[in-house]
Amino acid sequence: MKRIGVLTSGGDAPGMNAAIRAVVRKAIFHDIEVVGIKYGYEGLMEGNMELLTIGSVGDIIHRGGTMLFSARSEEFKTDEGQQKAIEQMKKHQIEGLVVIGGDGSFRGAQKLTEKGFPCIGVPGTIDNDIAGTDFTIGFDTALNTVIEAIDRVRDTATSHERTYILEVMGRDAGDLALWAGLAGGAETIIIPEKEEDFDDIIERLKRGRDRGKKHSIIVLAEGVGSGFDFAERITETSGLETRVTVLGYIQRGGSPTAQDRVLASRLGARAVELLIEGHGGRMVGIENNQLVDYDIHEVLEKQHEIDLGMYDLSKELSI
Ligand code: F6P
């Protein structure tokens, strides 16, 4: 193998740059050239790419976002789009591709592999919603951003004796809400994987007030619905004063944590190894702190499992 490509696709995540750096340097270490493809599959179809050197990926390990930019592409979902991409790769003598992104990006990687072009997926998304890995790149940084926000909101919640609802990202997954809620000491965590018991939530809020609690923090995953709708229901039912904070895109930015940089470096380098070993259509992941890899098809078929034991624990700790 003489030349490979790397791209980032879908929603960006802190640590993607560290993964790009690892791919580039690991490949160069093995005398393989790396082409950086800009704007994900969109750029691949257009041939928007450039050769990356050791220096091109200097000074990026600590930066959020992605130096290769990202995009979500509708055209690439079509056969013609995938064919265009393959032609570009042939034209630029690219023999294998590392795709850093989430499940949508992996579907593209699987299609290219089925069409004879080996791709390896590296899980990068703040949602932590991919099967076959305990953690995705960006999750830890986003989690720390949410926790910092909870701590700040808690201060003002106490001063005003209000109930605060923090709506966090995660798409259809509740990992970010669950981990942040547990780490931030939230009274209530609402996630798509667990049906909420609204009466119980109100009961808990009231019980807390009765025993002199000055504030209540509710962390709600966006996959469940709008924080504003939820706040309205609480006020209507209980009369409690509520305020809502939708954290939004601040969760996707910022300098990656040490955890994310290390994860990205390990996964990016392993992806290159797999290509060198002649594999395609696989995703690298981490389980019990060991590097693993799975057939992308298998990863996409399976549902990422949230740790509901943590959910039960959060309830026990917020009585
Ligand atoms: O997948 C990452 C994510 O940030 C989700 O948490 C969120 O639902 C979605 O992307 C937002 O997507 P977009 O950037 O396309 O608005």
Side-chain angles (χ1 to χ4, degrees), residues 42-119:
E42 280 291 326
L44 183 58
M45 289 182 297
E46 290 162 9
N48 186 356
M49 49 186 82
E50 67 179 345
L51 202 61
L52 298 175
T53 61
I54 298 177
S56 336
V57 291
D59 202 28
I60 62 164
I61 196 165
H62 60 302
R63 295 190 197 281
T66 157
M67 67 167 279
L68 292 175
F69 309 101
S70 194
R72 302 189 197 274
S73 171
E74 282 306 312
E75 188 188 351
F76 184 72
K77 290 182 185 157
T78 65
D79 256 358
E80 298 73 51
Q82 291 152 20
Q83 215 42 58
K84 260 192 192 173
I86 289 181
E87 270 147 36
Q88 287 290 356
M89 287 193 283
K90 280 188 187 151
K91 186 173 150 197
H92 291 89
Q93 286 134 32
I94 299 170
E95 296 166 67
L97 181 67
V98 177
V99 173
I100 306 166
D103 55 356
S105 315
F106 293 166
R107 262 174 247 287
Q110 193 196 357
K111 289 281 177 213
L112 290 179
T113 306
E114 281 166 8
K115 289 184 158 68
F117 196 86
C119 296

Side-chain angles (χ1 to χ4, degrees), residues 20 22 62-63 74 92 135 137 154 168 177 189 195 205 212 258 280 303 317:
I20 296 167
H62 60 302
R63 295 190 197 281
E74 282 306 312
H92 291 89
F135 297 108
I137 297 165
R154 182 192 288 272
V168 306
I189 301 171
E195 203 173 326
L205 288 174
Q303 188 81 16
L317 301 186

